Amino acid sequence: VMRHFEKIGQTLPKQNKKNQMVIHGDTGPNNFIIDHRGNVYFLDFEMIRFGFLSEDLAQLVLSIVLQHSIWFFNEKLLLKTVRFFNDAFKLSYQDWVYGTGIYFLRLIERRLRSGKFLSSPRKVWLFLKHLQKHEKVLRAIKKLYEPH
């Protein structure tokens, strides 16, 4: 667990505060609609705050690709979606480490707030599965940044 916190913490100095902006804070697929012309409208601004673009993009990508499934994720879809956002926003690997780290930490935070976080062996197992999934996601994204 500490390894995950340390990895995210190592990216913080690279996240320059000057690059902070107003972010949505809850960019899951349920919080936007697309009209017949392809215009995107965001909904539900209760978590709006200053942060980094990588936080919103990672949450959106992971919410779509992982579909909140603990069992598997589609690596091909993940990489295609990350490439799409990289083309538009020029994110670094460190940006994705930070954004995905924040996404998974928020999942953990919600479980802690529920009061049932480690209340059973099954809850502990699910928590460990989330950590494993974060590692898989980062390994997959890293492939995009390695020289071919």
Side-chain angles (χ1 to χ4, degrees):
V1 173
M2 290 309 297
R3 187 177 75 230
H4 283 77
F5 289 110
E6 289 169 8
K7 187 181 291 188
I8 295 162
Q10 291 167 359
T11 66
L12 289 175
K14 295 174 177 73
Q15 299 291 328
N16 188 332
K17 283 196 173 224
K18 292 187 300 187
N19 295 331
Q20 282 191 331
M21 60 181 64
V22 175
I23 62 171
H24 186 274
D26 191 11
T27 54
N30 294 332
N31 287 334
F32 65 90
I33 56 174
I34 302 172
D35 71 12
H36 66 282
R37 292 187 197 122
N39 297 314
V40 177
Y41 301 94
F42 284 93
L43 311 168
D44 187 9
F45 289 91
E46 68 187 39
M47 296 188 66
I48 196 169
R49 65 183 186 286
F50 278 101
F52 298 100
L53 178 63
S54 61
E55 293 176 57
D56 270 354
L57 294 179
Q59 182 179 17
L60 178 61
V61 168
L62 294 175
S63 294
I64 291 168
V65 172
L66 301 179
Q67 298 174 3
H68 302 289
S69 168
I70 197 69
W71 304 108
F72 66 91
F73 73 97
N74 183 328
E75 183 174 323
K76 195 179 273 188
L77 177 61
L78 172 71
L79 296 179
K80 182 178 180 178
T81 310
V82 168
R83 273 191 208 100
F84 172 81
F85 285 111
N86 278 351
D87 289 346
F89 299 104
K90 310 297 183 222
L91 297 176
S92 69
Y93 175 68
Q94 292 302 320
D95 291 329
W96 287 107
V97 170
Y98 178 78
T100 59
I102 294 297
Y103 173 84
F104 281 100
L105 287 176
R106 287 210 177 102
L107 286 178
I108 293 166
E109 177 190 30
R110 283 196 299 269
R111 280 159 183 72
L112 281 170
R113 284 187 184 177
S114 75
K116 300 176 184 177
F117 181 57
L118 300 175
S119 60
S120 71
R122 182 179 177 279
K123 299 280 186 188
V124 173
W125 179 81
L126 287 172
F127 169 73
L128 294 173
K129 283 294 182 191
H130 278 299
L131 293 180
Q132 289 173 350
K133 187 182 284 186
H134 183 225
E135 287 292 321
K136 286 181 181 180
V137 164
L138 288 179
R139 278 195 304 272
I141 292 173
K142 190 172 189 175
K143 291 177 186 177
L144 294 176
Y145 292 91
E146 294 175 343
H148 298 285

